[in-house]
């Protein structure tokens, strides 16, 4: 079980959005690289980074900030937002990412995702962002008619390393993870699922360590970490203790 601290990039700064709305952005750190180093010093081993501008633009916009993050931390970093071609993927992996997250292109061109998994085994994750149970694309600006599980099943057996499932209706408002939908997705596919959107407190951390949630790869936390609602040392110690008990 992995707790992924999140760095969302907008105009070169570390921000958090409310309900995916670019106009409702709170700046938490003007220096994303320093924030990445802070997370490493707190004991985290992974970092979840999203290029928010890139998600809307369809190409990387905050590349300089991501490069600075990669230089500042030895943690493994996964990046999503505006990565839409095999060239984009190859470029980012060459720059030091552990894996890339494909979102909009997973809806628009599933074949590209499958090809990427062949070319870059273990390096491709799929981001599925849902609003009202339907997949949203283009930085959450557009809704599709595609169901979450319907999309996820397209990648069974393709070699996708993880699915990051975000409930947009809960993102950035500390409403708690949508456990029902997240666990239903994890039950429906063999691909590891990472919960995202709404992680609010230590109670959510404890919830993700319950037996029915242990099949998840982990969960992503943003605002709750920045606001101090989740204590990093306490959360990581709790996760480590559960890992020890399961060993």
């Amino acid at each position: 079980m992995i707790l992924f601290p999140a760095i969302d990039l907008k105009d070169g700064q570390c921000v958090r959005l409310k309900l995916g709305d670019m106009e409702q952005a709170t700046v938490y750190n003007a220096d994303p690289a320093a924030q990445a180093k802070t997370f490493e010093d707190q004991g985290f081993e992974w970092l979840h980074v999203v290029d928010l501008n890139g998600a809307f633009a369809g190409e990387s916009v905050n590349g300089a900030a991501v490069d600075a993050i990669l230089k500042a931390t030895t943690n493994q970093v996964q990046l999503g937002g505006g990565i839409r071609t095999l060239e984009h993927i190859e470029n980012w992996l060459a720059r030091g990412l552990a894996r890339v997250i494909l979102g909009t292109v997973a809806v628009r061109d599933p074949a590209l995702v499958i090809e990427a998994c062949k070319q870059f085994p273990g390096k491709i994750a799929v981001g599925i962002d849902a609003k009202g149970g339907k997949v949203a694309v283009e930085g959450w600006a557009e809704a599709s008619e595609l169901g979450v599980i319907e999309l996820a099943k397209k990648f069974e057996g393709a070699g996708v390393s993880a699915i990051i499932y975000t409930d947009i209706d809960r993102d950035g408002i500390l409403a708690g993870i949508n456990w029902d939908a997240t666990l239903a997705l994890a039950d429906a596919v063999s691909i590891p699922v990472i919960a995202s959107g709404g992680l609010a407190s230590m109670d959510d951390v404890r919830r993700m360590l319950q037996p029915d949630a242990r099949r998840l790869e982990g969960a992503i936390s943003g605002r709750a970490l920045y606001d101090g609602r989740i204590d990093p040392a306490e959360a990581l110690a709790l996760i480590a203790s559960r890992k020890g008990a399961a060993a």
Side-chain angles (χ1 to χ4, degrees):
M1 185 67 68
I2 302 167
L3 185 59
F4 297 78
I7 292 181
D8 288 357
L9 299 169
K10 180 177 183 283
D11 305 331
Q13 298 179 311
C14 175
V15 308
R16 293 300 295 166
L17 302 185
K18 184 177 180 180
L19 301 173
D21 185 352
M22 287 286 273
E23 300 305 315
Q24 297 190 68
T26 302
V27 177
Y28 279 98
N29 198 326
D31 187 345
Q35 186 62 57
K37 186 65 169 67
T38 295
F39 283 139
E40 180 178 336
D41 292 343
Q42 289 172 338
F44 293 101
E45 298 178 354
W46 270 87
L47 188 60
H48 175 78
V49 180
V50 178
D51 182 346
L52 294 171
N53 301 102
F56 284 92
E59 59 184 6
S60 296
V61 175
N62 288 287
V66 178
D67 284 334
I69 287 169
L70 289 169
K71 290 178 182 177
T73 181
T74 60
N75 282 355
Q76 298 188 86
V77 178
Q78 60 184 24
L79 172 70
I83 303 173
R84 308 273 171 92
T85 69
L86 291 172
E87 290 75 19
H88 284 164
I89 296 166
E90 184 174 25
N91 177 267
W92 273 120
L93 292 176
R95 286 154 81 169
L97 288 178
R99 62 187 176 196
V100 300
I101 304 164
L102 304 179
T104 294
V105 74
V107 177
R108 306 278 197 234
D109 190 359
L112 185 144
V113 177
I114 294 168
E115 179 59 30
C117 290
K118 292 178 182 176
Q119 292 193 26
F120 312 104
K123 302 289 188 180
I124 306 299
V126 168
I128 299 182
D129 307 324
K131 191 172 182 63
K134 298 295 185 181
V135 178
V137 295
E138 305 294 344
W140 301 355
E142 296 180 20
S144 75
E145 291 302 312
L146 200 59
V148 171
I149 292 174
E150 180 185 358
L151 176 61
K153 283 183 174 293
K154 292 186 178 185
F155 304 111
E156 279 279 44
V160 170
S161 61
I163 290 173
I164 294 103
Y165 173 66
T166 303
D167 185 334
I168 300 170
D169 295 319
R170 293 174 181 242
D171 190 69
I173 62 170
L174 302 169
I177 294 286
N178 184 340
W179 292 108
D180 289 345
T182 302
L183 295 177
L185 173 60
D187 281 339
V189 295
S190 60
I191 305 165
V193 172
I194 299 170
S196 175
L199 193 76
S201 67
M202 287 300 300
D203 285 342
D204 279 323
V205 176
R206 295 184 188 95
R207 175 67 184 87
M208 77 180 194
L209 296 172
Q210 293 303 306
D212 66 337
R214 288 184 185 177
R215 58 187 177 277
L216 299 177
E217 180 173 302
I220 293 166
S221 180
R223 188 177 294 271
L225 281 173
Y226 291 108
D227 287 348
R229 294 168 185 265
I230 291 178
D231 177 77
E234 183 183 355
L236 292 172
L238 185 61
I239 292 168
S241 70
R242 292 298 173 89
K243 284 181 180 176

